[in-house]
Amino acid sequence: MNTQDVYILAIESSCDDTSAAVLLNDQVLSNVVASQKIHEEYGGVVPELASRAHQQNIVPVVHQALSKANIDKKQLSAIAFTRGPGLMGSLLVGTSFAKSLSLALDIPLIEVNHMQAHILAHFIKEKDTPKPEFPFLALTISGGHTQIVKVSNYFEMEILGETLDDAVGEAFDKSAKILGLPYPGGPLVDKLAREGNPKAFPFPKPKVQDLNFSFSGLKTAVLYFVQKQTKFQSNFIEENLADICASIQYTIINILMDKLKKASNITGIKHIAIGGGVSANSGIRKALKDGEKKYRWKTYVPKFEYTTDNAAMIGIVGYYKYLDKDFTDQGVAAKARFSL
Ligand code: KG4
Ligand code: ZN
């Protein structure tokens, strides 16, 4: 073992995924994620159930991460954990666990901001995946977040715009729910949209100032539209499902791309990195790729495993903070609202 080698155990429990990862420097040795299926039957994440499931999952998930990485906990250099933002009850489980383990092993504790982690996930060492160059714009889109961030350095980040209400993932999931699709509906809308006409049913785009977003109006527009159409034709949804999905997705992509173009024009930055679960969307990926030709952008999409909620992204932030000796003391508390 090189004396410079840093082993980080990372823990993520901000929403409904319990995850633990082990990193050797900027390389992932293991990344275990236990997704909570329980929420599917409720059509969304139930905070109390999420917290209880984290309590059940955390010990086996950490064990599995250590054994997959083939290291003993005595070899760890530090423990990194998600301090926030997220659901309080969920964050508390990971925070308390990380604090106790760091105390027991007598190694440093490192707090991580979940949003910073979604961005720095691009710096996990991967074959054939180039790392973005500073400065770049990060578009973080998931079930809980929608942000455009100017990233000047690892820890120099400025939020240029964010959602004023629902996140992009919620726009997908709530619209899907109106159409009778199971939770989470995002991937299904994506799949159905491929067979549909994106211009079949125009939905209004919100008028939001600056680089901010608003998505709550879209689900209402979808609801009213569907209610009106089914009055005339009871099987309207079944008959037009692919076209409705394609139209919803087209509207969402336009909203995102408009703001991204604006952000790129204002800052003069053409390097764009996306992250978060919604970055799996095939229409969004295509629109970004098109931007490479149309606007001379250089775009970065991390491996899917590192775009949805996972502990490896917490670990990479932990690694850079470890190099800076940026440690946290035992007095640290979870923070549900935690800005960049
Ligand atoms: O990052 P993530 O796993 O968890 C957080 O919300 O933080 O993101 C989950 C979100 C859900 O809203 C899900 O519907 C959406 O990502 N999603 C998609 C696709 N795959 C996942 N939305 C649209 N198209 C997809 N292919
Ligand atoms: Zn997230």
Side-chain angles (χ1 to χ4, degrees):
M1 173 184 150
N2 189 324
T3 49
Q4 304 296 312
D5 280 346
V6 177
Y7 285 95
I8 304 277
L9 169 69
I11 291 163
E12 154 66 31
S13 72
S14 65
C15 188
D16 61 342
D17 294 305
T18 320
S19 180
V22 178
L23 272 77
L24 166 57
N25 305 322
D26 58 354
Q27 220 176 326
V28 177
L29 300 183
S30 64
N31 184 33
V32 178
V33 184
S35 297
Q36 304 175 0
K37 292 271 169 254
I38 180 96
H39 308 286
E40 279 172 18
E41 57 193 274
Y42 296 93
V45 177
V46 184
E48 179 56 33
L49 296 178
S51 167
R52 260 187 259 167
H54 283 305
Q55 282 172 14
Q56 283 163 3
N57 293 342
I58 191 131
V59 173
V61 163
V62 168
H63 268 296
Q64 220 183 323
L66 287 168
S67 84
K68 272 195 173 172
N70 202 16
I71 71 150
D72 187 87
K73 51 185 181 305
K74 290 195 190 80
Q75 289 172 265
L76 293 173
S77 317
I79 296 178
F81 70 98
T82 307
R83 185 181 176 201
L87 300 169
M88 197 49 167
S90 293
L91 290 166
L92 273 173
V93 178
T95 306
S96 322
F97 186 90
K99 282 165 75 171
S100 321
L101 196 58
S102 106
L103 200 62
L105 297 172
D106 194 21
I107 53 173
L109 184 63
I110 300 171
E111 65 170 67
V112 174
N113 180 304
H114 179 91
M115 296 311 295
Q116 209 163 49
H118 269 302
I119 295 169
L120 294 187
H122 288 274
F123 293 89
I124 291 171
K125 191 175 176 181
E126 276 293 320
K127 232 174 69 195
D128 307 324
T129 310
K131 297 178 181 182
E133 280 169 36
F134 298 115
F136 64 90
L137 295 176
L139 175 70
T140 314
I141 43 179
S142 76
H145 347 281
T146 308
Q147 282 187 339
I148 298 181
V149 179
K150 179 181 167 188
V151 188
S152 302
N153 213 322
Y154 293 109
F155 296 108
E156 226 185 293
M157 301 184 184
E158 184 194 347
I159 299 172
L160 301 180
E162 59 190 335
T163 184
L164 304 175
D165 40 58
D166 288 352
V168 194
E170 282 177 285
F172 272 107
D173 297 342
K174 289 178 179 174
S175 301
K177 195 173 174 182
I178 294 167
L179 301 176
L181 299 171
Y183 175 85
L188 293 167
V189 172
D190 185 1
K191 198 167 160 226
L192 289 158
R194 281 175 219 165
E195 312 293 321
N197 172 7
K199 295 190 179 156
F201 307 113
F203 291 110
K205 273 201 297 182
K207 291 183 182 59
V208 190
Q209 292 295 306
D210 308 320
L211 294 171
N212 290 323
F213 299 95
S214 167
F215 284 103
S216 69
L218 179 60
K219 63 166 191 284
T220 317
V222 172
L223 179 67
Y224 288 165
F225 170 75
V226 164
Q227 279 176 344
K228 197 171 150 202
Q229 297 299 325
T230 43
K231 255 192 216 155
F232 303 115
Q233 187 191 347
S234 61
N235 63 350
F236 177 80
I237 296 179
E238 295 82 58
E239 288 289 309
N240 299 279
L241 192 56
D243 283 350
I244 306 171
C245 287
S247 301
I248 292 169
Q249 184 164 302
Y250 180 70
T251 310
I252 292 176
I253 294 172
N254 278 338
I255 296 171
L256 291 173
M257 294 307 287
D258 279 357
K259 296 288 174 161
L260 210 45
K261 273 187 275 180
K262 204 170 167 187
S264 173
N265 288 340
I266 292 171
T267 58
I269 298 173
K270 290 185 179 289
H271 286 231
I272 294 167
I274 59 165
V278 182
S279 62
N281 186 273
S282 56
I284 295 174
R285 284 178 179 230
K286 184 176 179 301
L288 270 181
K289 270 278 158 236
D290 290 347
E292 298 208 332
K293 280 184 227 105
K294 273 202 236 165
Y295 317 116
R296 297 178 165 274
W297 286 352
K298 172 130 185 60
T299 62
Y300 303 87
V301 187
K303 215 168 132 185
F304 185 64
E305 175 183 5
Y306 305 138
T307 71
T308 55
D309 284 353
N310 70 90
M313 69 179 192
I314 306 302
I316 191 75
V317 183
Y319 170 63
Y320 286 112
K321 284 197 162 187
Y322 186 90
L323 296 183
D324 283 351
K325 296 204 169 19
D326 185 357
F327 304 137
T328 315
D329 65 42
Q330 282 285 330
V332 65
K335 227 172 156 193
R337 292 178 151 268
F338 190 14
S339 192
L340 272 177

